[in-house]
Amino acid sequence: FDELVRVLEYPRFKKFNVTPDATEIFIKTIITFGKFVFPQVTNLCRDKNDNVILGTALAMVGKKRVYLISADKDLLVLKGKVEKVIIMTPQEFLKSKVIE
């Protein structure tokens, strides 16, 4: 959660006109409807901060597919290499049949 909040404050998000109010609503939505889990310990990512993100996805693996949507290159290099976790870019996710 802390990593998500930190990343949402990156200056590169300004080009998408993401306002502080929109970010706050997004965070509150996650808090209200999300499911907090303890991440599994993993060392698969090149960036140690991303291991927590991947570990969170791994903690959710069960009967349903787990999608990890990211533009982070350190996570994207793991596409197809992490069993039961489908890693996609936001663009791939939006184009996929997943959201229909």
Side-chain angles (χ1 to χ4, degrees), residues 35-94:
K35 179 180 179 180
F36 282 88
V37 297
F38 291 102
Q40 285 188 8
V41 176
T42 182
N43 291 320
L44 294 173
C45 293
R46 302 183 295 204
D47 180 344
K48 66 177 182 152
N49 292 326
D50 292 333
N51 280 319
V52 176
I53 303 299
L54 181 60
T56 302
L58 289 168
M60 295 302 299
V61 168
K63 294 181 182 178
K64 294 185 178 183
R65 294 181 184 162
V66 173
Y67 292 87
L68 197 164
I69 313 303
S70 179
D72 187 302
K73 292 176 184 168
D74 292 317
L75 288 167
L76 293 173
V77 299
L78 297 172
K79 283 170 105 176
K81 297 178 183 175
V82 181
E83 189 175 348
K84 298 186 179 181
V85 177
I86 301 163
I87 300 172
M88 314 173 105
T89 65
Q91 296 83 358
E92 291 169 334
F93 183 74
L94 290 172

Side-chain angles (χ1 to χ4, degrees), residues 90-100:
Q91 296 83 358
E92 291 169 334
F93 183 74
L94 290 172
K95 289 179 185 175
S96 73
K97 301 285 184 189
V98 176
I99 57 174
E100 291 182 356

